[in-house]
Amino acid sequence: MTGLAAAPSAHLPFPARTLGDIAVSIPGATALFRRHKLDFCCGGTATLADAVRDKDLPIAPIVAALEEMSMDAQPVAPQETPKLIDHILDRYHATHRRELPELIKLARKVEAVHAAHPLAPVGLADALVDLSAELETHMAKEELILFPMMRAGGSPMIAHPIARMRHEHEEHGMRLRVLLAMTDEGRMPDDACRSWQALTSGVRKLVADVMDHVALENDLLFPRFAAKEPEQRT
């Protein structure tokens, strides 16, 4: 039997929440925990306060890092084009680059540890590597070519990079559907360990982030330069 991960206790302050709860609900937290040798998997039932105290670590920097990660989720997109581009760079490009390497590590771990499990997400790490490479190439094109043209007000030449970005957005969509299929649409076995739960939660967030990223560009940013895009032929 499979089910969605339990809802995290987001109303509690971070020190009072368990390592497992934080790992599942805050993508990127597992990398932070690993750096500090905090066991979020087998030791996931310990609160952050207790785990940090046992390791004789200062809690304030860890809480500050977690608060920064959790604040990434809901910034409002500005309307001015230069500020909107900055928002896309900060909210999406930087987030993809920060979170994907950790998701790939988690996927490798889960695939190795649970190789014999019939519901193990076999091939997920490779699919994430593929998406990461495609996203990196895509974002570099935007940063080096498209966004500077937009900051300059656009030009007749802008039609071609926009058309290319729209096409690549469609390809991203296909890859996201593969990720969702591999993770059973965000569900997992009832006996899934904390790493598996964190991986599934992270993939759900990644899919949502990439979809929001694409929609923001396709529906808000790109249409501002629609007059310079090529007309669609029927």
Side-chain angles (χ1 to χ4, degrees):
M1 180 178 178
T2 61
L4 294 173
S9 301
H11 62 285
L12 294 175
F14 280 117
R17 293 171 63 177
T18 66
L19 295 183
D21 170 37
I22 297 171
V24 170
S25 60
I26 308 291
T30 57
L32 178 69
F33 290 163
R34 243 199 298 273
R35 285 199 300 274
H36 293 286
K37 295 181 170 55
L38 296 173
D39 183 5
F40 64 89
C41 193
C42 296
T45 57
T47 65
L48 177 64
D50 288 342
V52 167
R53 184 172 57 252
D54 289 345
K55 290 286 187 179
D56 197 23
L57 296 171
I59 195 170
I62 297 175
V63 169
L66 291 170
E67 288 175 343
E68 183 177 354
M69 291 175 191
S70 65
M71 288 176 63
D72 276 343
Q74 301 299 334
V76 177
Q79 291 301 308
E80 301 88 344
T81 295
K83 291 183 179 179
L84 177 58
I85 291 172
D86 289 340
H87 171 76
I88 291 170
L89 293 173
D90 294 340
R91 171 62 184 87
Y92 297 106
H93 287 210
T95 299
H96 299 332
R97 286 172 173 140
R98 182 178 66 249
E99 294 183 357
L100 267 162
E102 177 62 14
L103 281 179
I104 291 168
K105 290 178 183 178
L106 280 173
R108 296 278 187 221
K109 177 181 179 180
V110 170
E111 288 185 55
V113 172
H114 301 283
H117 198 293
L119 298 177
V122 177
L124 179 59
D126 288 341
L128 287 168
V129 168
D130 180 55
L131 175 64
S132 180
E134 293 300 322
L135 275 175
E136 184 55 46
T137 300
H138 177 86
M139 293 187 297
K141 291 175 187 175
E142 291 185 332
E143 293 164 4
L144 297 174
I145 300 172
L146 181 59
F147 288 170
M149 294 174 72
M150 289 179 167
R151 290 184 190 277
S155 76
M157 297 296 294
I158 205 170
H160 300 290
I162 287 179
R164 182 61 193 171
M165 294 302 98
R166 288 187 183 276
H167 175 70
E168 291 182 5
H169 285 170
E170 294 178 0
E171 295 178 335
H172 296 340
M174 292 189 298
R175 289 186 173 87
L176 295 181
R177 287 191 286 275
V178 170
L179 295 183
L180 287 173
M182 287 183 166
T183 55
D184 195 19
E185 300 292 332
R187 291 179 288 270
M188 68 198 86
D190 292 337
D191 60 350
C193 69
R194 298 289 183 179
S195 293
W196 197 335
Q197 293 176 33
L199 172 64
T200 303
S201 176
V203 169
R204 285 203 305 265
K205 181 180 182 293
L206 171 68
V207 170
D209 277 352
V210 175
M211 291 176 66
D212 289 347
H213 180 183
V214 166
L216 195 59
E217 292 183 350
N218 280 355
D219 301 330
L220 184 59
L221 180 60
F222 293 173
R224 297 179 179 186
F225 301 87
K228 297 183 176 66
E229 290 188 63
E231 294 182 0
Q232 298 293 323
R233 295 183 179 179
T234 58

